[in-house]
Amino acid sequence: MKNRMWIAIGMMIVVAVFYLIKWKNAGVLERNKVPLDQAYLDFQEINEHYQSNKFKIEKLCTVAVRSASSPEPIRVFKTVNQQLIIDADPKVNEETKNDYRYYKLDRQGSLVDSIYIKYEGYWPKFIDRFMVFSNQRKAYYTTWPLDGDTTRHHFISLNADFSWPRDKIDQKIRAVKNRGDYYFFSAFRDNENDFRWMAFYEQQQWYMLWEKMPGYTQVADEDSGYRYRSDVFHTGTPDPVIPEDVRLIHFYPEEKMEYKHAIGGGTSPSSATNWRGKGFFSTVIAGNSFSFKVDQLVVEKERFDKFKTRLYTLKEPGGLARIYEPAFYRSEQGFALYSGNWDELYIIKPQP
């Protein structure tokens, strides 16, 4: 009886091993049996566990869900005091999809502040030291970019009763533009009536100058409040071509497999066959060589674009390849920002 039991257990183990091997090799057409050169054994992935006497790596933020309406879900722009502000999509569900989340880095790359803003019908604009919030009819501002203060200061309305003559309105608009103070326009239609207001900063106060318009008015880009912000870095670039400031030192093939590329626009994915393996890279940060590796990497080179190096990551055979771009932003103070995918942002600091 015991012998039969052990025989049955042995058969179960054999069957389990068989299916484990079959599952492991599913979709794999060929495996590389040549071992990795020892020169690349010390290369590490870019994450908070990176060990080095020259660099320290920290994760700054993660985006939980990618929105089709936001192809660049993490954005970075310069602000006052030589600081950087990170604008990261907060969406985790339908309730939070219109909220706002920001992080502030000082000159040394240290995270000094963050803010989460629930959507209340206002759209934020960063104008130098001000964070201006406006909807069609109201506006307020804070000085969070400058000093972290989130106290709301409301605008003062001018010509709210539309009593100003046309020449007085035009004269004020010309004066504001000629002075070079901060200003921007907003226009909207309400109950078949068209309105426009100019927000402007004068004598340490923000104002809204109202006017009725004869018809629909579109605000030009040069008069928009968003013109004061200029992004210097963002995630989600849909370009697999390796950047010029990063060098692929070596690619170690591990498994040959089939996979797909998503074309978009309702078109069926295209199929490809290639090797997946490890990529070993090098770049320069603060004058020092910085090396790193990427697992599950696919490297493509095609004749049609003169064999440019295109990079993808692939989780499983037959799956969709995901664009991998080792993108870096190097600050004047020495630290660098890095993102290889749309959903994460890291900071790389030289060790003192």
Side-chain angles (χ1 to χ4, degrees), residues 1-60:
M1 188 70 178
K2 288 184 178 180
N3 289 338
R4 290 181 179 178
M5 181 181 69
W6 285 113
I7 291 174
I9 292 175
M11 293 179 63
M12 291 173 64
I13 292 175
V14 170
V15 171
V17 171
F18 172 79
Y19 279 104
L20 179 62
I21 295 173
K22 185 177 180 181
W23 170 79
K24 186 176 180 181
N25 288 280
V28 176
L29 305 177
E30 187 179 347
R31 292 188 184 277
N32 182 16
K33 298 180 180 180
V34 179
L36 175 66
D37 191 312
Q38 292 188 353
Y40 303 102
L41 293 179
D42 292 334
F43 280 63
Q44 305 173 67
E45 295 180 80
I46 298 180
N47 55 42
E48 57 267 43
H49 305 297
Y50 193 98
Q51 298 293 321
S52 170
N53 59 2
K54 291 184 178 181
F55 301 98
K56 179 182 179 181
I57 298 179
E58 302 171 4
K59 181 185 287 188
L60 289 176

Side-chain angles (χ1 to χ4, degrees), residues 128-322:
D128 195 30
R129 61 192 184 275
F130 303 109
M131 193 172 180
V132 175
F133 298 80
S134 63
N135 58 25
Q136 289 185 342
R137 296 187 174 277
K138 297 180 181 179
Y140 68 89
Y141 71 93
T142 74
T143 56
W144 183 78
L146 176 67
D147 53 20
D149 190 352
T150 58
T151 303
R152 296 187 179 189
H153 305 276
H154 292 277
F155 283 38
I156 294 177
S157 290
L158 301 177
N159 193 34
D161 60 356
F162 305 107
S163 61
W164 286 22
R166 181 75 257 171
D167 59 345
K168 184 177 180 179
I169 296 174
D170 292 340
Q171 183 180 5
K172 185 63 178 180
I173 291 175
R174 286 195 300 268
V176 169
K177 288 187 173 183
N178 290 336
R179 279 198 310 269
D181 292 340
Y182 307 122
Y183 74 90
F184 65 92
F185 287 87
S186 180
F188 66 96
R189 171 169 289 181
D190 185 26
N191 293 326
E192 299 185 356
N193 294 311
D194 292 283
F195 302 91
R196 186 177 76 164
W197 49 260
M198 178 181 68
F200 64 95
Y201 186 70
E202 182 178 75
Q203 297 180 350
Q204 300 184 356
Q205 174 63 52
W206 278 95
Y207 295 88
M208 297 172 70
L209 174 59
W210 285 86
E211 57 181 321
K212 286 184 178 180
M213 305 300 289
Y216 173 75
T217 303
Q218 186 171 354
V219 176
D221 290 342
E222 58 268 24
D223 287 331
S224 167
Y226 297 105
R227 74 186 188 278
Y228 290 101
R229 167 178 162 173
S230 179
D231 293 358
V232 298
F233 185 77
H234 59 79
T235 66
T237 301
D239 187 356
V241 176
I242 187 171
E244 294 182 359
D245 58 358
V246 177
R247 185 164 64 99
L248 176 61
I249 301 173
H250 178 64
F251 175 70
Y252 174 66
E254 293 178 307
E255 308 102 358
K256 190 175 185 180
M257 58 185 63
E258 294 181 353
Y259 56 95
K260 296 180 176 64
H261 282 300
I263 300 175
T267 306
S268 299
S270 62
S271 298
T273 301
N274 208 339
W275 285 90
R276 184 184 72 172
K278 290 180 170 63
F280 302 90
F281 298 85
S282 178
T283 189
V284 176
I285 296 176
N288 293 311
S289 176
F290 176 78
S291 61
F292 60 98
K293 75 169 183 175
V294 176
D295 291 332
Q296 299 181 330
L297 188 73
V298 174
V299 179
E300 293 185 352
K301 295 185 179 183
E302 300 290 345
R303 184 186 301 273
F304 77 91
D305 62 357
K306 299 180 180 180
F307 300 100
K308 290 181 180 179
T309 301
R310 298 177 181 272
L311 305 175
Y312 303 88
T313 55
L314 180 63
K315 286 188 176 182
E316 58 187 6
L320 284 173
R322 181 179 181 182

Side-chain angles (χ1 to χ4, degrees), residues 77-142:
F77 57 96
K78 292 183 178 180
T79 184
V80 294
N81 299 330
Q82 295 184 305
Q83 295 179 335
L84 293 175
I85 290 181
I86 302 168
D87 179 358
D89 286 357
K91 179 181 178 181
V92 294
N93 53 42
E94 284 299 307
E95 185 178 340
T96 63
K97 68 179 182 179
N98 293 318
D99 296 346
Y100 303 95
R101 179 174 51 159
Y102 303 98
Y103 303 89
K104 188 190 299 181
L105 301 180
D106 66 10
R107 293 183 60 187
Q108 287 71 44
S110 298
L111 182 63
V112 294
D113 201 358
S114 64
I115 186 173
Y116 189 99
I117 303 169
K118 295 288 292 182
Y119 177 69
E120 298 176 344
Y122 290 85
W123 296 275
K125 302 173 185 66
F126 286 83
I127 302 178
D128 195 30
R129 61 192 184 275
F130 303 109
M131 193 172 180
V132 175
F133 298 80
S134 63
N135 58 25
Q136 289 185 342
R137 296 187 174 277
K138 297 180 181 179
Y140 68 89
Y141 71 93
T142 74

